[in-house]
Amino acid sequence: MSDMTTTADAPRSPGRPRSVRADEAIVSATLDLLAEGSTIEALSIEAIAARAGVGKATIYRRWPGKDALLLDALRTLKGQPPEPTGHSVRDDLVLLVGAIGQNVDPRAARIMPCLVPEVNRSPDHFQLYQNMIEPRRKLMREVLQRGVRTGELRADLDIDVAMAMLTGPMLMQRMLRWHPELDERILPERVVDGVLDGLRPR
């Protein structure tokens, strides 16, 4: 998408410092509108500006377009991904798997399920979702690759399949409550240990 550059990527022009308060108001307005039922397609810069109490020009000085703003806004729902310590592949995977489906913003419970059909319908929205989750996927990929290098995991490990096996159960449980009797407090450990049984060298 042509406007996928986020605020972190865009070069800053000299002049008056940007207002952090305006940034927060714009992001919060975006999330509020999505939580209230607006679809990504229907969401407009005009509506976001009106809710945030700013002009459209204020938004465009910060983000090149709606998709870049959406990417930044949706990332705030999840917060920063946890940082693996590098001491143990198992412990790092438990940390990362435990963060799957966890959100720091309560609006995520209303927003994320509504994104699924839009992601499936639109290549642009699919790419938006991929850009949002890739930093977390990269962390897990690096942990698994490290495990292969150190001999903790099989040399012929299919990294992408292993990631799907680790991620899928947590997403199913946290988004759909697939099995209400599972104890989510220990589920990350159980998932990681179960998957690692098949990933370790024989």
Side-chain angles (χ1 to χ4, degrees):
M1 288 179 287
S2 59
D3 64 350
M4 191 55 74
T5 304
T6 69
T7 53
D9 304 319
R12 291 291 305 278
S13 57
R16 189 171 56 185
R18 241 173 53 176
S19 165
V20 174
R21 185 173 297 177
D23 290 1
E24 292 173 349
I26 293 164
V27 167
S28 185
T30 304
L31 295 176
D32 282 343
L33 290 167
L34 289 172
E36 291 166 10
S38 175
T39 65
I40 291 178
E41 270 183 15
L43 189 66
S44 68
I45 293 295
E46 289 82 0
I48 296 169
R51 175 63 67 92
V54 302
K56 289 195 298 180
T58 302
I59 295 178
Y60 284 119
R61 280 197 297 270
R62 289 156 168 78
W63 291 274
K66 185 175 78 170
D67 289 330
L69 170 54
L70 278 168
L71 181 58
D72 276 356
L74 292 173
R75 279 176 174 165
T76 68
L77 289 176
K78 302 187 75 62
Q80 290 296 317
E83 280 293 332
T85 64
H87 299 312
S88 156
V89 167
R90 177 196 179 271
D91 291 347
D92 285 347
L93 289 176
V94 169
L95 179 71
L96 295 175
V97 169
I100 293 169
Q102 294 279 52
N103 301 292
V104 298
D105 191 313
R107 288 172 291 191
R110 286 171 286 165
I111 293 173
M112 298 307 288
C114 297
L115 290 183
V116 174
E118 298 203 41
V119 165
N120 289 331
R121 279 198 304 263
S122 163
D124 282 351
H125 298 161
F126 174 78
Q127 189 59 53
L128 175 71
Y129 174 73
Q130 293 300 318
N131 289 343
M132 183 177 70
I133 65 171
E134 178 55 29
R136 294 168 182 269
R137 199 161 43 201
K138 181 174 181 285
L139 288 174
M140 185 177 290
R141 187 182 297 114
E142 289 171 349
V143 170
L144 292 169
Q145 289 169 339
R146 189 183 82 229
V148 172
R149 288 195 306 270
T150 60
E152 294 174 76
L153 302 177
R154 290 164 35 185
D156 63 347
L157 177 65
D158 187 321
I159 299 289
D160 290 324
V161 171
M163 289 169 60
M165 293 167 65
L166 289 162
T167 303
M170 291 304 299
L171 279 176
M172 285 285 289
Q173 184 62 20
R174 288 201 166 139
M175 290 187 69
L176 301 178
R177 297 288 296 161
W178 183 77
H179 195 320
E181 294 181 10
L182 286 174
D183 186 345
E184 288 197 20
R185 294 170 300 178
I186 61 171
L187 186 58
E189 293 183 49
R190 293 179 64 184
V191 168
V192 170
D193 288 339
V195 172
L196 283 182
D197 281 345
L199 303 185
R200 292 191 176 103
R202 300 192 184 280

